[in-house]
Amino acid sequence: MFDAVVRAMICRSVLVGTLLAGGCTMAGPDYKAPVPQAASQFANAGEPAFDQQEPIAEFWKRFNDPQLDRLIGEALLANHDIRIADARLQEVRGVRRDAEGDRFPTLTANTGYTLQQFSTAEFPGSRDARNRDAFFARLEPYWEIDFFGRVRRSIEARVAELGVAEAGLYAAQVAVAGELARTYFELRGLQRSLAVVRENTENQRNTVNLVRARQAAG
């Protein structure tokens, strides 16, 4: 019976709040993205080296190099900047969930227990007979009706912060993967150059030996 009464109160509050909020104006102006001052495209954007498509998340895997994949995977797990950005993202997600929860009614329950001992003048008898147990339970419904759009504006702000946190995490991941890939390819280039130098040295050595052999043969 009590649960039915509480549910009826909440439903009535939701209905009244919806009708009232429908005629209210949200606080503050709508957000408008700023117009960038830079040119819409680079002067050489039409060159084959530039690509207008969306970036590939795991771009390094297109090189089909297992060792590069392993190194970047380890770097992404061990980098402190990425850990900080990921922790920030989780924090913002939690704040957004809390903000979205403000749209709905909440019902909190408080329970407690007290033990009271009366004096012999009030309740004659033994000590146990003068003890009284008291239990209590209290339900507290609460809902802030969003008359002026404060809750909705707060949710919009949290969603925007979530986008910023996600972009920060992605930027940190791209920076780490890109720097490691660049260093890896430079190393591979140097290793290849060293191999070419060694091959040339070996060819020169063979040439010297051939000349000496011809000289010895007259």
Side-chain angles (χ1 to χ4, degrees):
M1 179 64 181
F2 180 75
D3 293 339
V5 173
V6 172
R7 285 196 298 269
M9 292 175 59
I10 294 177
C11 292
R12 185 164 55 251
S13 300
V14 172
L15 178 60
V16 173
T18 303
L19 295 176
L20 293 175
C24 298
T25 303
M26 292 184 64
D30 293 333
Y31 172 77
K32 295 182 179 180
V35 179
Q37 299 299 324
S40 59
Q41 62 182 6
F42 294 102
N44 298 325
E47 297 295 329
F50 293 92
D51 191 353
Q52 302 272 342
Q53 298 179 358
E54 291 292 329
I56 300 174
E58 297 180 340
F59 59 90
W60 60 89
K61 291 189 176 181
R62 303 189 69 180
F63 296 101
N64 297 322
D65 191 326
Q67 187 170 2
L68 177 62
D69 297 344
R70 178 181 59 81
L71 291 174
I72 292 182
E74 293 176 355
L76 293 178
L77 291 176
N79 186 267
H80 293 290
D81 292 337
I82 293 179
R83 291 179 178 178
I84 294 174
D86 183 67
R88 172 60 180 166
L89 176 60
Q90 301 305 322
E91 177 186 1
V92 174
R93 283 176 176 171
V95 174
R96 186 200 63 176
R97 285 193 295 267
D98 292 341
E100 290 179 346
D102 292 339
R103 295 185 302 173
F104 308 103
T106 59
L107 184 65
T108 59
N110 296 323
T111 60
Y113 163 77
T114 59
L115 175 62
Q116 185 177 6
Q117 186 178 66
F118 294 91
S119 64
T120 54
E122 295 175 310
F123 290 95
S126 64
R127 181 174 182 178
D128 293 338
R130 289 184 282 114
N131 292 336
R132 292 294 182 271
D133 296 324
F135 297 90
F136 68 89
R138 181 170 62 251
L139 295 177
E140 297 179 352
Y142 171 79
W143 185 36
E144 176 186 354
I145 301 178
D146 195 17
F147 283 111
F148 304 104
R150 185 196 68 81
V151 175
R152 282 171 285 175
R153 290 303 192 195
S154 176
I155 294 175
E156 291 178 1
R158 302 294 86 78
V159 171
E161 291 179 357
L162 178 61
V164 173
E166 290 177 345
L169 176 59
Y170 297 153
Q173 292 173 339
V174 170
V176 171
E179 183 65 20
L180 194 149
R182 182 186 65 82
T183 305
Y184 179 82
F185 291 136
E186 289 181 353
L187 174 62
R188 288 306 191 195
L190 293 174
Q191 289 175 340
R192 180 56 183 168
S193 298
L194 178 60
V196 171
V197 170
R198 288 176 175 173
E199 290 177 1
N200 291 335
T201 302
E202 184 64 24
N203 292 335
Q204 294 294 332
R205 183 179 294 110
N206 293 335
T207 300
V208 171
N209 293 336
L210 179 61
V211 171
R212 289 177 177 175
R214 289 182 176 181
Q215 181 181 12

